[in-house]
Each structure stands twice: as structure tokens, then as C-alpha cells.
Amino acid sequence: MTEKHGHKHHGKTSKNILSAGEVLKATELKLGNSFLDAGCGDGYISLEASNIVGDNGSVYALDVYPESIETVKKEIKTRNLVNIETILADITETIPLDAEIIDVVLMANVLHGFVSEGEVEEVMNNISRVLKPGGIFAVVEFRKIEGNIGPPYDVKLSLEDVSNILLKHGFDIDGTQLVGKYHYIVNGIKKP
């Protein structure tokens, strides 16, 4: 398999530096919602989301890396979860879900890679397609601070960078906040 992407920070977990509970609270995820974890990695946020949405909700854990998806599948089986589904897909190409079925899309520590690779248009179009009108696209990124953990400084996105990307692609900004020591979240609402 040839590597398409030049940004090579995949496969790392944020579990030790980013609280799934704090992130999901900031997304306003609720009981019964449908949730897409776009770039789920080891799935620790997807697994937490599965508890929040409950039996009538649904969670889709999507990643481009088969190893990540296998890790999530094992954890789903271990925990005997029925409301979470894994998807192996490249969101620069497609998200294999029906249009307008997702209440909340989360992209944690992933958008900077698409920006550095010039793939934002495709990704934003695919996310907009699956998100319900009025749905939330929550983007978590590393704070743009010199010497902070995460990708190199020139690859990091500022809170304004992320807000501008969302505004340009048909979202209203519904708030921003710091989450944990190293991250911020921007909630975009898809315009009806």
C-alpha cells in the first residue's frame, strides 16, 4: 500500500492528553444522537460517545488506517457494544454513510493534516453531506503554541484558522473553548 499522505502523525493516541468526556461535553452530544468520529484513531472518544448516545443512538468510528479500525473493533467486542460501527474509509474521498444522518461530527487532532496536504475542500464537502442541517461539526486541535506537544508549529492551526475554514464551508460558529491543557474546540453548526 502506498502512503498517499505526507503528514505522518497518524496512529498516535490522544488518550493521555485529552479527556474524551470533556471533549464530548463540549460537543453537546446527547442521548439518542448519531455521532461520527472522523479520524477515530484507537477509538477512545468513540467508545465514550457510545455511552452518551445510549441504545437509541449510534456511533460511527471512522479511520483510514486498518490497524486503528481493528483496535476499535476489538474494544467494541470486549465491551459488547451494539450502538457503535467501525468504518474503514478515506474521508478525502468519501464517507460511506447516507446524507444528512449525523447529529454531531467530531474531528480531533486531524484537520491540521488535511490542511497541510491541501485536502480541506474534499473533507469539508464529505462532512457537510452526512451532517444534518443544524448539526454540529466539532473540531479539536492542538493550541498553536511554540514548544507545545503535537505537530510542528507551522502545521498547527490557530483557533481563527479553524473558525475561518468552518465559516467558508457553510457553518456558523457556535462557540469555542479550551479543552484540557493542550487543545481547543470549535463547534460549527451546519446552516439549514
Side-chain angles (χ1 to χ4, degrees):
M1 186 176 133
T2 57
E3 256 328 291
K4 179 181 165 195
H5 304 288
H7 184 68
K8 296 182 174 53
H9 289 281
H10 65 83
K12 293 187 177 181
T13 182
S14 302
K15 192 185 305 185
N16 301 326
I17 56 169
L18 188 61
S19 159
E22 190 178 350
V23 167
L24 291 169
K25 185 176 180 194
T27 69
E28 302 172 21
L29 187 67
K30 297 175 184 62
L31 189 69
N33 277 173
S34 55
F35 176 79
L36 171 62
D37 190 352
C40 65
D42 64 6
Y44 83 102
I45 294 177
S46 298
L47 296 163
E48 182 75 23
S50 144
N51 294 328
I52 294 171
V53 302
D55 293 343
N56 292 326
S58 51
V59 172
Y60 302 94
L62 181 149
D63 208 284
V64 70
Y65 299 103
E67 308 79 32
S68 296
I69 293 299
E70 285 309 310
T71 300
V72 180
K73 281 183 177 175
K74 285 179 189 154
E75 201 57 38
I76 291 168
K77 191 172 182 184
T78 300
R79 298 184 190 198
N80 202 22
L81 300 173
V82 295
N83 65 348
I84 183 168
E85 188 180 311
T86 57
I87 301 171
L88 179 64
D90 181 344
I91 60 177
T92 65
E93 294 172 7
T94 186
I95 298 174
L97 291 171
D98 291 337
E100 299 186 349
I101 64 161
I102 303 293
D103 294 298
V104 177
V105 175
L106 174 71
M107 186 177 280
N109 297 333
V110 177
L111 185 61
H112 64 264
F114 295 127
V115 170
S116 73
E117 294 298 310
E119 298 168 325
V120 172
E121 294 300 316
E122 301 91 333
V123 169
M124 292 301 295
N125 290 340
N126 288 329
I127 285 168
S128 290
R129 188 187 66 77
V130 300
L131 197 58
K132 293 176 181 176
I136 292 174
F137 179 29
V139 178
V140 174
E141 277 294 337
F142 286 96
R143 293 167 65 193
K144 189 161 181 143
I145 299 171
E146 286 283 2
N148 195 357
I149 61 170
Y153 181 80
D154 62 338
V155 175
K156 288 178 183 166
L157 302 172
S158 70
L159 200 144
E160 293 75 22
D161 293 335
V162 172
S163 296
N164 288 334
I165 289 168
L166 292 175
L167 288 168
K168 181 182 173 201
H169 290 91
F171 290 85
D172 287 322
I173 304 303
D174 185 44
T176 63
Q177 66 187 67
L178 298 179
V179 284
K181 188 173 174 184
Y182 305 107
H183 295 86
Y184 63 83
I185 188 168
V186 179
N187 282 347
I189 294 188
K190 181 178 171 182
K191 292 179 186 174

